[in-house]
Amino acid sequence: MSKEYYPGASISEIVKGHPLVVKQGRVEVGNGSLYYEEAGWGEPVIFVHGHSLDHRMWDEQFPVFAKKYRVIRYDLRGYGISSSQTEDYQFTHAEDLVTLMDSLHIKKAHIVGLSLGGFITADMLAYFPDRMLSAFLASGNIRKSKGPSEPMTPEEARVRDKEIAALKEKGVDVMKKEWFEGLMKSGGSQRERMRESLWQMIDEWDAWQPLHKEVRVVAGLDAIEKLKKNHPDVPALIVEGHSSGNRFSKEPPILQYLPNGKLKVIDDCGHMLNMERPEEFNAALEEFLKNVQ
C-alpha cells in the first residue's frame, strides 16, 4: 500500500466516494500484530477478508454500515500490512480475531466473512460462538481440510516442497493472473466492475502462503467435529452467488449443525459477491442484521 498507517490515529478518509472518520490501529497478537480500521457507533460488525486480498475488499461495505454500526475491518495475519506468517509458529485466524476483539473491548460481534473469511467465521461458530451476535458466511463456510489437531506430516512437507518448487518454476506472476482470472470467470454480468480493485489487491499480495509450508490456520475438519457436538444457536446466514461459472452446494452441510442457520442465493453473481454486486450483498446483510436484533 502506498500510504503510511499510524496506530491509534483518527483520520478522515474517502472510501469509494464516501467521507468517513476512520480510526486506524494495530493489535498485538502472538508473534506479530494485526492492522485494523474502525468507524461508526453501535453494535460491532467485523468484516473478514478473503485469501490473497486485504481489508480493502470491503470498500463498498465499510462506509455503508458505519452509518448504523461500529464497523471493523482488518488484515489477517500474513496479508495486507499485518505481520507476516512463519512456517513454525502455530496460530489460527479465529484466535487472532478473538484477540482483536479483546483488544478493542468487544464482547460480542456480528462476524461477516467471505471465502477464507467465511472459513474463519465458521471456525468462530465452532470454537467461540459465545463471542458472536451473528454469522454471515459468504462463498465459504467449512473447509474440508486437516485442522491444527493434525500437524503437517513429513510426507505432506515433501509434497509441499515439490508444489512450491513447481510454483517458483512456473512464476508467481503467472499464478496470480490465473487466480485472478478464475475469480473473474466465476462472476456474472456485473463482474467487470470489480476488475481493477480486485487485481490491485492480488497484484500487491506477497503470495507468502503458496510459497511456504503454512501451518493449519483454519480449523477445517476440527471445526466440523466441534459443530457436530455443540450445534451453536447463533443466527447464521450462508450466502452464495449463482452463475454458470460459480459452484456451490444448495444444501450446505454446515446447516445440519446450525439450528438458526439459513441459505441465501444472490443471482447473476460469482465468488466475490460483495465486490461484484455490492448493492445486493449490502441489502442481504442489512436485512439479516435487522432481523437478528
Side-chain angles (χ1 to χ4, degrees), residues 125 135 137 141-142 227 231-232 234-239 249-264:
L125 283 167
L137 308 92
N141 44 81
I142 290 291
L227 289 170
H231 287 239
V234 176
L237 188 65
I238 310 299
V239 186
S249 172
K250 295 181 179 179
E251 296 181 357
I254 191 174
L255 289 181
Q256 299 174 38
Y257 319 121
L258 300 175
N260 289 324
K262 296 180 180 180
L263 171 68
K264 181 178 179 63

Side-chain angles (χ1 to χ4, degrees), residues 15-28:
V15 182
K16 292 289 184 181
H18 299 271
L20 194 66
V21 176
V22 182
K23 177 184 176 182
Q24 300 171 316
R26 283 191 174 273
V27 164
E28 295 299 317

Side-chain angles (χ1 to χ4, degrees), residues 19-269:
L20 194 66
V21 176
V22 182
K23 177 184 176 182
Q24 300 171 316
R26 283 191 174 273
V27 164
E28 295 299 317
V29 290
N31 204 40
S33 67
L34 304 178
Y35 169 78
Y36 74 91
E37 295 179 353
E38 68 170 301
W41 302 92
E43 287 190 336
V45 178
I46 303 177
F47 292 98
V48 191
H49 68 77
H51 170 63
S52 77
L53 309 175
D54 56 61
H55 71 278
R56 291 173 294 176
M57 70 166 276
W58 301 110
D59 277 356
E60 300 276 9
Q61 287 73 48
F62 192 67
V64 174
F65 287 90
K67 297 174 182 177
K68 294 183 180 180
Y69 299 92
R70 178 188 178 189
V71 294
I72 294 103
R73 61 179 180 175
Y74 70 106
D75 289 338
L76 297 170
R77 188 197 301 251
Y79 298 88
I81 56 174
S82 287
S83 292
S84 299
Q85 296 173 235
T86 64
E87 292 186 345
D88 59 355
Y89 184 81
Q90 176 61 57
F91 74 97
T92 66
H93 288 305
E95 290 169 333
D96 276 359
L97 176 50
V98 170
T99 299
L100 174 69
M101 292 173 66
D102 289 344
S103 299
L104 298 180
H105 307 290
I106 296 173
K107 185 176 180 180
K108 291 187 175 186
H110 302 283
I111 309 297
V112 180
L114 186 144
S115 195
L116 173 57
F119 299 151
I120 296 164
T121 304
D123 286 356
M124 290 290 292
L125 283 167
Y127 288 90
F128 305 103
D130 58 322
R131 305 300 300 270
M132 307 180 79
L133 294 169
S134 70
F136 191 94
L137 308 92
S139 297
N141 44 81
I142 290 291
R143 186 169 73 182
K144 295 180 180 179
S145 58
K146 293 181 180 180
S149 68
E150 299 182 79
M152 184 177 291
T153 65
E155 178 56 31
E156 287 176 311
R158 285 191 288 271
V159 171
R160 280 294 296 136
D161 284 336
K162 292 180 181 179
E163 292 171 344
I164 292 167
L167 174 56
K168 289 180 178 178
E169 183 176 354
K170 176 181 182 177
V172 172
D173 289 343
V174 174
M175 178 273 293
K176 284 185 176 183
K177 289 177 182 177
E178 290 177 349
W179 172 250
F180 167 71
E181 290 300 336
L183 292 176
M184 289 295 298
K185 288 178 181 177
S186 79
S189 62
Q190 301 299 312
R191 62 191 178 193
E192 286 303 317
R193 69 185 296 173
M194 67 178 181
R195 177 176 291 275
E196 183 178 349
S197 53
L198 181 62
W199 173 246
Q200 181 180 5
M201 286 185 285
I202 294 174
D203 186 37
E204 294 178 6
W205 169 48
D206 66 6
W208 186 93
Q209 294 76 19
L211 290 170
H212 293 82
K213 293 190 283 289
E214 187 178 30
V215 298
R216 315 285 199 204
V217 295
V218 171
L221 296 176
D222 291 351
I224 292 178
E225 293 305 311
K226 291 284 287 187
L227 289 170
K228 284 181 178 178
K229 293 179 181 178
N230 299 333
H231 287 239
D233 60 0
V234 176
L237 188 65
I238 310 299
V239 186
E240 300 287 355
H242 178 255
S243 73
S244 60
N246 194 47
R247 296 181 180 179
F248 66 92
S249 172
K250 295 181 179 179
E251 296 181 357
I254 191 174
L255 289 181
Q256 299 174 38
Y257 319 121
L258 300 175
N260 289 324
K262 296 180 180 180
L263 171 68
K264 181 178 179 63
V265 177
I266 298 178
D267 288 326
D268 190 22
C269 190

